[in-house]
């Protein structure tokens, strides 16, 4: 493994002396910072790869993979993409990666049923579930974080009115477009998303905790400190 790797050497497993792909699942409520943390980890280690379920889906549809074409049909009909199709996309991604790699899964699984499907996918690809990291953040903090998020409709850059403010209030630093609030970031929608998270994901947390795979990490404080906590949790 590359010397620059931020994870401990024993984080990798081996089969017949060959490094095996590992999977880390990132759990946490909306606004807990999963994507930000994953981005920091990947920037420091080229053997890591952040895989958000949304990006995975959009990429498969764009590339018109078999799973992407099937998923596109569901989305055009306004239906949810079946869990098994998302799992196939993850399997396709794994099959296309050569050499040591740890996937940081963000957004899948969200339920115990999805976790069981993912177990089969991981085993079928010869990979291993290395850890499940839970970013713990109080609901009231999550609501505050999400309420302050701003997005650039022009270039896609993300900001926060307090934590990551633009140089000029309401204006994107990169392209000068007026920043907007995503429709699903309003307080009422956020509270509903948190309720769904509690209903669906709390059983998933218990599922992985019973297997001894769950690692709880406080998700508040300076971002660099949170990243360091996640690193230690994976060592």
């Amino acid at each position: 493994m590359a010397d620059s790797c931020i994870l401990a050497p024993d984080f990798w497993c081996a089969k017949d002396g060959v490094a095996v792909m590992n999977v880390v699942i990132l759990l946490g409520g909306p606004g807990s910072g999963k994507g930000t943390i994953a981005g920091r980890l990947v920037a420091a280690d080229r053997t890591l790869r952040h895989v958000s379920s949304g990006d995975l889906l959009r990429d498969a549809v764009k590339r018109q993979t078999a799973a992407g074409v099937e998923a596109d049909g569901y989305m055009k009909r306004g239906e949810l993409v079946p869990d098994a199709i998302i799992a196939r996309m993850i399997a396709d991604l794994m099959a296309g990666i050569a050499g040591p790699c740890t996937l940081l899964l963000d957004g899948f699984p969200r339920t115990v049923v999805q976790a069981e499907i993912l177990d089969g996918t991981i085993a079928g690809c010869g990979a291993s579930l290395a850890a499940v990291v839970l970013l713990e953040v109080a609901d009231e903090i999550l609501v505050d974080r999400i309420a302050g998020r701003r997005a650039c409709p022009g270039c896609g850059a993300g900001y926060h009115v307090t934590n990551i403010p633009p140089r000029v209030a309401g204006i994107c630093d990169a392209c000068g477009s007026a920043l907007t609030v995503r429709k699903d970031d309003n307080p009422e929608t956020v509270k509903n998303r948190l309720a769904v998270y509690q209903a669906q994901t709390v059983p998933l947390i218990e599922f992985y905790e019973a297997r001894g795979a769950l690692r709880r990490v406080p998700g508040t404080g300076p971002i660099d400190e949170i990243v360091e906590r996640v690193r230690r949790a994976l060592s």
Side-chain angles (χ1 to χ4, degrees):
M1 187 169 61
D3 292 339
S4 63
C5 185
I6 61 175
L7 302 181
D10 60 2
F11 185 69
W12 291 96
C13 62
K15 183 183 294 183
D16 299 327
V18 178
V20 176
M21 179 181 295
N22 277 325
V23 173
V24 170
I25 297 170
L26 301 176
L27 294 180
S32 59
K34 299 185 295 295
T36 300
I37 299 301
R40 294 292 187 95
L41 293 172
V42 170
D45 184 354
R46 63 179 179 273
T47 66
L48 302 178
R49 181 163 178 173
H50 178 209
V51 182
S52 77
S53 57
D55 289 344
L56 182 70
L57 184 59
R58 286 185 288 271
D59 180 66
V61 170
K62 180 180 179 180
R63 292 189 296 110
Q64 290 289 281
T65 66
V69 170
E70 193 171 352
D72 196 32
Y74 281 96
M75 291 189 293
K76 286 179 177 177
R77 294 191 298 270
E79 301 173 7
L80 291 176
V81 178
D83 299 337
I85 294 181
I86 301 296
R88 279 169 47 198
M89 293 178 183
I90 294 173
D92 289 344
L93 175 65
M94 290 180 177
I97 296 176
C101 181
T102 293
L103 299 183
L104 305 177
L105 290 188
D106 169 8
F108 190 91
R110 296 177 186 270
T111 67
V112 172
V113 170
Q114 291 178 353
E116 292 171 342
I117 292 173
L118 181 62
D119 279 346
T121 301
I122 291 173
C125 292
S128 297
L129 177 62
V132 180
V133 175
L134 173 63
L135 291 170
E136 297 187 302
V137 184
D139 284 1
E140 58 269 23
I141 296 177
L142 293 177
V143 172
D144 180 65
R145 282 183 181 178
I146 295 175
R149 294 199 299 203
R150 299 293 183 269
C152 176
C155 66
Y159 299 88
H160 189 279
V161 294
T162 303
N163 301 331
I164 315 174
R167 289 191 293 269
V168 177
I171 301 298
C172 177
D173 293 345
C175 71
S177 298
L179 301 179
T180 60
V181 179
R182 298 190 318 179
K183 63 180 181 180
D184 57 350
D185 279 355
N186 67 74
E188 288 305 313
T189 303
V190 170
K191 290 177 182 178
N192 182 64
R193 289 166 63 193
L194 286 171
V196 171
Y197 171 76
Q198 291 293 334
Q200 294 185 340
T201 311
V202 167
L204 179 62
I205 292 169
E206 296 171 348
F207 173 81
Y208 283 121
E209 195 159 41
R211 291 170 55 173
L214 190 73
R215 304 179 188 183
R216 296 176 180 268
V217 174
T220 56
I223 185 64
D224 290 342
E225 291 183 12
I226 301 173
V227 172
E228 183 57 31
R229 290 173 201 152
V230 173
R231 286 174 178 162
R232 290 198 300 265
L234 297 176
S235 63

